[in-house]
Amino acid sequence: MIIVKSQTEIRKIADACRIVAEVLEGLKSHVTEGMATADIERFVDEGIRKRGAGAAFRGYRGYPSSVCVSVNDQVIHGIPSRGMKLKSGDIVGLDIGTVLDGFYGDAAMTIPVGNVRAGNAHLLKITEEALMLGIEKAVVGNRIGDISSAVQVHVEKHGYSVVRAFVGHGIGRSLHEDPQVPNYGRAGQGPRLREGMTLAIEPMVNAGGPDVRILDDGWTAVTTDGSWSAHFEHTIAITKQGPKILTKI
Ligand code: MF3
Ligand code: CO
């Protein structure tokens, strides 16, 4: 069941989302080569708490951290650790969720560490563009498939592949609500988009094939072919005036 939100509820989701955006923005300058991914956890956890929110991911189905840090061939849900050190040339997916006054916000970005190869910078660019093209389709009267198709077409046009095993989602009083928002599909299909729906749209794009597997930690998704992967996510609201990105500064 898709839960449509009132303006007051959207304002509360936006408050949670603003904190996500501020912490992600802070990470752009905080994340540097030589740092352990556990150092990112500390920055995020403090950033969320000092703004008065809670970390949505910590404890969610047993996930142990406040942030997902997914490096190179890690697609999503990488667990921060002391042993994993960032080096120049890496690409790092950073995914954050907050809860404030009972409402959730969720966003992710993938950033370069030091100097990355041109091909990897291109992967990040195309993935973020795919997210923005998907968001453009999030208008009243369209369908979920219009978002999915816009993402998939852009990704595949550039020779990359869309991960199938994970999808975007509705968001509100829960981190994950209906509907599912796949990053592949056909325009004109799926649930109709209505004013007041709030969605987390989150393409995961592999430079190689689409398949992923889960590491023995039970969480970290990696590409099966070892190719590198990018992830961008925004929480948006569907309004009469069009899509409103809530996780943007
Ligand atoms: N953005 C991801 C999602 O929507 C992050 C969830 S991490 C988890 O699923 F630990 F909370 F599962
Ligand atoms: Co999400």
Side-chain angles (χ1 to χ4, degrees):
M1 189 202 38
I2 300 176
I3 302 167
V4 165
K5 282 80 179 179
S6 68
Q7 296 217 12
T8 311
E9 290 169 327
I10 290 176
R11 228 173 283 125
K12 290 189 177 200
I13 295 167
D15 288 341
C17 285
R18 190 170 313 114
I19 294 171
V20 172
E22 286 174 9
V23 176
L24 282 176
E25 189 60 35
L27 281 176
K28 287 180 186 170
S29 50
H30 179 73
V31 172
T32 51
E33 58 183 286
M35 155 182 293
T37 58
D39 300 324
I40 298 175
E41 166 69 14
R42 167 107 78 82
F43 180 91
V44 168
D45 207 59
E46 286 177 8
I48 292 174
R49 278 166 214 288
K50 77 178 181 215
R51 291 172 173 85
F57 299 168
R58 178 180 289 282
Y60 180 87
R61 296 183 181 215
Y63 186 77
S65 301
S66 299
V67 56
C68 301
V69 183
S70 309
V71 182
N72 300 343
D73 67 326
Q74 299 180 345
V75 179
I76 51 167
H77 298 169
I79 300 172
S81 79
R82 279 262 133 250
M84 168 84 86
K85 294 245 193 325
L86 299 178
K87 49 191 190 316
S88 181
D90 286 348
I91 57 172
V92 189
L94 300 160
D95 190 352
I96 297 176
T98 60
V99 56
L100 184 67
D101 198 16
F103 288 87
Y104 285 82
D106 186 6
M109 64 184 181
T110 305
I111 59 171
V113 180
N115 296 314
V116 304
R117 298 177 60 150
N120 292 323
H122 186 252
L123 174 69
L124 304 190
K125 173 172 173 278
I126 296 304
T127 306
E128 189 169 23
E129 284 175 5
L131 169 61
M132 300 315 291
L133 290 166
I135 290 172
E136 279 177 25
K137 299 289 180 183
V139 298
V140 176
N142 270 0
R143 292 182 183 271
I144 290 289
D146 295 308
I147 299 172
S148 306
S149 170
V151 170
Q152 182 180 16
V153 165
H154 190 67
V155 168
E156 293 180 352
K157 189 166 82 188
H158 293 277
Y160 301 133
S161 53
V162 153
V163 172
R164 272 47 173 189
F166 299 96
V167 296
H169 49 93
I171 183 168
R173 284 188 187 276
S174 305
L175 176 61
H176 296 131
E177 294 180 354
D178 287 340
Q180 292 198 347
V181 187
N183 298 298
Y184 55 94
R186 281 180 202 281
Q189 298 205 338
R192 182 80 70 182
L193 303 179
R194 302 192 191 282
E195 183 185 357
M197 288 183 182
T198 43
L199 304 174
I201 304 176
E202 50 178 320
M204 289 143 270
V205 174
N206 297 348
D211 294 343
V212 303
R213 67 186 172 88
I214 309 296
L215 297 185
D216 288 339
D217 63 19
W219 278 102
T220 312
V222 300
T223 62
T224 53
D225 62 8
S227 67
W228 287 16
S229 187
H231 177 214
F232 284 84
E233 176 178 24
H234 275 306
T235 295
I236 63 127
I238 297 175
T239 77
K240 274 203 284 279
Q241 292 81 34
K244 190 165 181 209
I245 301 177
L246 304 179
T247 41
K248 203 159 109 179
I249 303 228

